Every structure is written in C-alpha cells, then in structure tokens.
Amino acid sequence: MKKTYLYSLFALLIIGLYSCKSKTVSKSDKTGWNYNEKEFGGFQVPANYDRGAPGPGLVAIEGGVFVMGGSAQDVPGQELGNYNHKREITVSSFYMDETEVSNTNWLEYLDWIRQSYPDDYEYYYNELPDTLVWRRPLSYNEPYVDNYLRHPAYGDYPVVGVTWEQAQRYCTWRTSRVNELLLRSQGYMTSFEDLYGTGKGRKKDQVQAAPRPEGPFNTDVYLNGQYDDRGKNAMKDLGTAATNPTGKKGDAPTRNVRLEDGILKQPYRLPTEAEWEYAALGLIGNTQYENIASNKIYPWDGLGLSSAKKSTRGMILANFKRSKGDYMGVGGSLNDKGSLTVAVRSYLPNDFGLYNMAGNVNEWVADVFRPTTFEAAEAFNPYRGNYFQDKKLLEPGSAKIAVDKYNNPILVPATSGKKQTWAEKQAALAATTATDSLGNTTVASSYVADQRGHRDRQNELYGEITLVNDKSRVYKGGSWDDQALWLNPATRRFLQQDEATADIGFRCAMTMLGASEISPRSSNSFKTKAPRKFNPKKI
C-alpha cells in the first residue's frame, strides 16, 4: 500500500507554491487605509505570510477524524474496555517530534543549565534524570546506572528516568532556545558573533562573552517587550511617535518582534493523548479520498509483529519483550536488536514519518488520567488536564510580567473564564491580596481555574480510595520491558507526574497555526477573488 509520510517532506514546497499565488496585502479592504506606511498610522501587516518550516526535530501531522480507542483489542483479564471508551473525535493538524528525546538532547539541556547558572547546584540536580531507575533487587543493572545517560554508547538512545514535570520544563526550555536562535541568526536580535565578540575582524584574544542584564532569553518575556536587544535587521516601528534614531529621512525606530509578525515558533509541549494516539496510528497511509481501506492494530499495517516484505521478512518491527523472558532473541539472530532500549532512529517510521511510536520506551503525554475521560471529553481536540493560568504582573497595573530566578514568567491561577469589563478588572486588581508563602499574588475570585476534574462523576473519590488523582498522568506506546499487548496505540496507563521509570521517555509536539491541509491529494480547490480596489479620490 502506498505510504504517504513522504508528503510531509514536500509540504513546505507545496505551501510555498500556494503562497506565491497570493497578492501582497497593502491596504485595508474595509477602511481603505494603507498598511505598513508611517503616513497612514504605521499599522503593520505581514505580506504573504507563510508559516514556513516546522521547528527543529518536528514533522507535520495532518489532523482529521478518527475513532479514539478504536484500535484497542480486548484481552481476557486486562479489562482494556474500561480504559478505552471508543469515540469519534477530531484532532487539529499539529507538529510532532520525529523521534523520542535522546540522552544527548538531555545532556545539552544540562550543559546549558551548568553554563547559565554555574553556582545553582539545586537547579542542575533537579533536572538530572533518576538513573537509579535501573536498579533492581535481583538484577545486575549497575552499569546502566553509571553509563546510560552520559556514555556516548547510549547517546542516541531515548532518555529515561525523567518525570512528567521534568519533560514539561524541557519543553519550555527548548521553546526559548529555538526562538532565540531564530531571532539572533536572522538579525532581529544581536547576532551570536556580535554578542560574544567573535565577529569578523576580531582577534581570538579579544573574544569575551557579552553580559546579559536581562537574564537568559525567554520567549514570553521577550514578547512582552522586556528585552532591549535589537539586531541589524530589527523590525521597523512604523507606528511609533518616537524620533528617528539616526535623524535620516525615512528612517524609523526599531522594535521587538511581535506575535503579529508570525516569526516566532509556537511553544514546544507534550502532545495530548488524542494527538499521540492519532499520530501513532498513522491511518493517513491507509486512506484515499476519505476512504479508510483498512484499520490498524499497531503503527504498521497487518496483524503481525514482524515484517512481511520480501527483503525484510521476519524482522521484528519494534523493540519490545517477545515473551516473559525474551528481551532480544537468540544470539546470532537477535529479533529486535536491543536488550533494553535502542537508538531513537530504529526500525521503520510509520506513515507520518515518526519513529518508535510502538516499543522502545513508553512516552508521557499531557493528559491527566481518568478511566472514562473520553465519555465526557469534547469531540474536538479532547484533553483532560487544563489548569488555566495567567502571567503574574510585576505589580498591580504594571505592563511588565514578573519572572522567577530563572527568568521564566510566574504563573498564577486565572481569575476569570471570560474577558472582564474594565471596571471588573480594576476591581479585581484593587482586591489583590498579600503574597502567599511562595511569593505568588492571588486575587479573590469565585472562578475555578483547575478543570482537571471537569465532568468527572467520581472525582470525589480520586486520591482518597484510589491511586488516581489530579497528578496522575497518562503514558502510552509500550516499551522494551512490555509485551506486545501494550504496543497498540489505544492502550493507556498512568503514573504520578513526579515519578520516573526506566521504560518511560517522551517526545515533544507543537501546535500548527493556519490552514489544516498539508498533504493535498488533488488540485481541486475553490477559487477566490482578490479584494475590490478602492480609490478614496473618487468618493
């Protein structure tokens, strides 16, 4: 059957061809005022916006409808039906990491912490994976305790021993690193060469790291205008009333990149359970013109666990435990090539181009676990785990947001589920209470920001008579230490968000903005006309 993950490789080319057809936006089709001109107020609109390439490591996943839990196979004694309520849902298009996050990727994170906060041993320690997850009372795994994270022999292997909370913090860190690279390499901020004194014409003995008074780069803080760092290609501020910095005619002050410019990448995050299952199943390879030719039990076609192709016949398609004591097969003809984990680029990718969506390691997803979530969840982008938060202001009425010692915005529970009137907002600011023991400012409000237990009929019992509570997080995919049952994308288990094991890793996702279609199957489309031209002189 034709595999379609190659479409994602040509998505950017297709998007580019379509964007070339659109005309430059130069004036408002509702007021007639020109855009991007200082004389007309300086309102700036990107011309021919193109979302461009996904962030590093990501592939595009074209969303659509599928039956959540539909691939689950009930097994006597496992009671999977209680945990896989079958329901038709729709997932928006998004991006997902091609591979699991590797040990090398995590060591890069640790190295950044060491260089940015050389004296903060607590920060470094808190982000260390728990390598003691390899220890078993009746197994000799001590070499993995010492070597699995740091030795180059395991550099391309998936990082394990990380909690859900650590994975979340890695996503936040990764977002800012990617956006800082984008801004500095394209000249919107000071380039790395100029920042560290390694530009053209400088001698080696003159190299010296430039100080960063604002602290390490953070995307949210930058977007709020709290960085004063403009590069040679900084955006022109056509709408400002400030004096031209150079005094030259036609020159204009510069500004930070804004969200409206469409330049910065969306935050990296953990995928939702629905996104993860949809991406793992990869039904796009079995679909033509909305007709699904065959369903799947695993991320590959067929009912078996080994390849049916002539050139690879009999080769195991994932890294899992074949029987209670068989982790890799017979010496001389190993079935899955790995006694524990294997490199993140192993076996064949699925039809979306994703590696190891079954086996190798289980993967954290964003959702809070409930057995019956999908009986109650929304049909569009279902997710359980919302805890709505706002960025804390430096002080009531201030435009600046408060940051912690690592330059991350301080988040506080949201005070309203809708836009407040101006009077309501001012009243809420006036009612601000004293800071609590953690330094957080709270506002008196009847709004409940924590929605993790929404529509959960049994939520009063969770955490009281069960192991399930609001910190129980879902993980999926099966691992090197699981038998084939758990390779099914619909299976789901849970662990507390502050716990870690030797068989759980993760990969990141990113929201896709704009048009959902990324893999056009035909040239059929509705044609639209350009806005009517308007000449104010003929009024």
Side-chain angles (χ1 to χ4, degrees), residues 35 63 84 165 256 298 322 381 405 413 458 466 471 488 509:
Y35 295 151
N84 290 277
E165 294 172 348
N256 284 1
Y298 305 110
R322 193 164 61 171
N381 289 337
K405 63 179 180 178
Q458 306 174 49
T466 73
K471 293 188 177 181
N488 183 288

Side-chain angles (χ1 to χ4, degrees), residues 272-294:
T272 67
E273 183 177 0
E275 287 175 334
W276 195 99
E277 184 174 330
Y278 177 86
L281 201 57
L283 288 175
I284 192 171
N286 298 44
T287 304
Q288 187 173 17
Y289 299 110
E290 288 203 272
N291 296 314
I292 300 176
S294 59

Side-chain angles (χ1 to χ4, degrees), residues 73-81 485-486:
Q73 305 295 302
D74 288 329
V75 177
Q78 296 292 340
E79 298 181 349
L80 290 178
L485 162 69
W486 300 105

Side-chain angles (χ1 to χ4, degrees), residues 66-96:
F66 85 116
V67 178
M68 185 86 177
S71 63
Q73 305 295 302
D74 288 329
V75 177
Q78 296 292 340
E79 298 181 349
L80 290 178
N82 294 333
Y83 294 88
N84 290 277
H85 182 84
K86 294 178 173 59
R87 184 180 179 188
E88 186 179 66
I89 61 104
T90 294
V91 174
S92 293
S93 297
F94 62 102
Y95 301 107
M96 186 176 244

Side-chain angles (χ1 to χ4, degrees), residues 218-437:
N218 179 277
T219 300
D220 289 322
V221 178
Y222 174 83
L223 282 173
N224 201 55
Q226 292 176 221
Y227 282 91
D228 186 15
D229 187 336
R230 315 281 166 73
K232 61 182 179 181
N233 295 327
M235 302 293 291
K236 300 295 185 182
D237 191 358
L238 301 179
T240 186
T243 305
N244 293 343
T246 63
K248 295 181 180 179
K249 184 179 180 180
D251 208 349
T254 57
R255 61 170 175 82
N256 284 1
V257 167
R258 298 170 182 155
L259 189 64
E260 293 88 337
D261 297 318
I263 292 172
L264 293 173
K265 299 298 181 185
Q266 288 293 294
Y268 284 86
R269 55 178 174 80
L270 291 177
T272 67
E273 183 177 0
E275 287 175 334
W276 195 99
E277 184 174 330
Y278 177 86
L281 201 57
L283 288 175
I284 192 171
N286 298 44
T287 304
Q288 187 173 17
Y289 299 110
E290 288 203 272
N291 296 314
I292 300 176
S294 59
N295 211 326
K296 294 179 178 180
I297 297 177
Y298 305 110
W300 52 83
D301 286 327
L303 303 177
L305 298 166
S306 58
S307 174
K309 290 185 178 180
K310 184 176 180 179
S311 60
T312 57
R313 185 167 296 162
M315 294 181 65
I316 297 295
L317 292 169
N319 178 24
F320 66 101
K321 186 168 63 172
R322 193 164 61 171
S323 64
K324 290 184 177 180
D326 182 1
Y327 284 84
M328 60 179 176
V330 178
S333 184
L334 301 181
N335 63 42
D336 68 16
K337 317 300 184 194
S339 57
L340 34 94
T341 59
V342 293
V344 294
R345 289 180 182 273
S346 298
Y347 313 103
L348 294 175
N350 75 354
D351 290 338
F352 279 122
L354 305 174
Y355 287 87
N356 290 308
M357 293 300 285
N360 209 22
V361 290
N362 290 289
E363 297 178 16
W364 288 115
V365 298
D367 292 56
V368 165
F369 177 81
R370 292 289 190 276
T372 57
T373 286
F374 298 103
E375 291 180 0
E378 300 287 345
F380 180 68
N381 289 337
Y383 167 67
R384 181 182 291 283
N386 280 311
Y387 191 158
F388 301 113
Q389 296 177 302
D390 297 329
K391 298 180 184 70
K392 178 185 175 183
L393 297 178
L394 195 59
E395 56 187 27
S398 172
K400 292 187 175 182
I401 56 178
V403 297
D404 60 20
K405 63 179 180 178
Y406 304 122
N407 218 37
N408 295 315
I410 296 174
L411 302 177
V412 295
T415 58
S416 177
K418 63 179 183 179
K419 181 183 176 181
Q420 298 171 306
T421 65
W422 181 254
E424 289 171 339
K425 188 173 181 65
Q426 299 312 304
L429 289 174
T432 300
T433 62
T435 57
D436 60 21
S437 59

Side-chain angles (χ1 to χ4, degrees), residues 47-66:
N48 293 331
Y49 170 73
D50 182 349
R51 65 184 168 211
L58 301 173
V59 296
I61 308 294
E62 184 171 277
V65 63
F66 85 116

